[in-house]
């Protein structure tokens, strides 16, 4: 069984958002574990979503220079899943058969294709297992 785990966008957003110190601490702990063990990973979609949130949607948006610095140090080393036809095919199957939204289907598909045992997300159905990937809400 793989020790790999997939980090959804919300963990990365909480890591840079001081408005909820408890969630920020949990997110930073998981990101630190991801870096120290080499077992944490994320996808192209997560990188895009993170930039969209921190540059545009955050209560206090980051400057492009701040976002770039954080990206290079914390996020880029964990980015290991690229878009592919296989990832999209799996996402289409998940969307059709498991009633996930399209965006959630892409996240679950990326975790599957990354060989992850866990998908860390606040937004998905905690405890559910799909194709060997268990969804875990680290903030519960």
């Amino acid at each position: 069984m793989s020790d790999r785990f997939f980090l959804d966008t919300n963990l990365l957003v909480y890591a840079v958002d001081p408005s909820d110190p408890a969630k920020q601490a949990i997110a930073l702990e998981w990101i630190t574990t991801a870096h120290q063990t080499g077992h944490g990973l994320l996808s192209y979609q997560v990188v895009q979503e993170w930039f969209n949130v921190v540059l545009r949607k955050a209560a206090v948006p980051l400057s492009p220079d701040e976002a770039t610095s954080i990206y290079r140090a914390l996020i880029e080393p964990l980015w290991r899943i690229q878009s592919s036809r296989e990832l999209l095919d799996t996402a289409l199957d998940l969307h059709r058969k498991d009633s996930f939204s399209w965006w959630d289907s892409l996240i679950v598909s990326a975790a599957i294709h990354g060989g992850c045992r866990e998908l860390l997300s606040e937004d998905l159905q905690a405890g559910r297992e799909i194709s060997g990937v268990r969804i875990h809400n680290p903030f519960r």
Side-chain angles (χ1 to χ4, degrees):
M1 176 64 75
S2 169
D3 289 333
R4 290 182 183 173
F5 57 92
F6 189 93
L7 296 106
D8 198 355
T9 311
N10 48 38
L11 275 92
L12 303 175
V13 170
Y14 287 133
V16 299
D17 179 4
S19 67
D20 188 330
K23 286 185 176 183
Q24 185 178 39
I26 291 166
L28 288 171
E29 184 177 323
W30 277 104
I31 292 169
T32 299
T33 299
H35 282 272
Q36 289 175 344
T37 65
H39 295 160
L41 51 95
L42 48 87
S43 67
Y44 178 67
Q45 175 189 348
V46 168
V47 174
Q48 290 182 73
E49 289 176 352
W50 181 80
F51 272 113
N52 186 47
V53 171
V54 302
L55 292 173
R56 293 185 53 232
K57 294 184 177 183
V60 179
L62 297 176
S63 73
D65 289 341
E66 291 170 319
T68 299
S69 178
I70 292 167
Y71 162 74
R72 295 273 186 237
L74 293 181
I75 296 170
E76 186 177 49
L78 304 176
W79 176 11
R80 296 195 205 127
I81 307 297
Q82 304 298 330
S83 293
S84 68
R85 288 181 179 164
E86 295 80 15
L87 189 143
L88 290 173
D89 285 342
T90 301
L92 285 166
D93 287 341
L94 290 166
H95 181 67
R96 186 180 320 110
K97 296 176 185 174
D98 292 297
S99 300
F100 283 110
S101 75
W102 174 243
W103 302 113
D104 290 346
S105 295
L106 287 168
I107 292 292
V108 174
S109 178
I112 291 167
H113 284 270
C116 295
R117 176 182 48 133
E118 276 190 309
L119 189 169
L120 305 175
S121 179
E122 181 179 48
D123 299 329
L124 296 169
Q125 302 164 353
R128 185 168 179 191
E129 188 170 315
I130 300 104
S131 298
V133 177
R134 185 176 62 85
I135 298 170
H136 173 72
N137 181 347
F139 303 108
R140 278 195 174 167

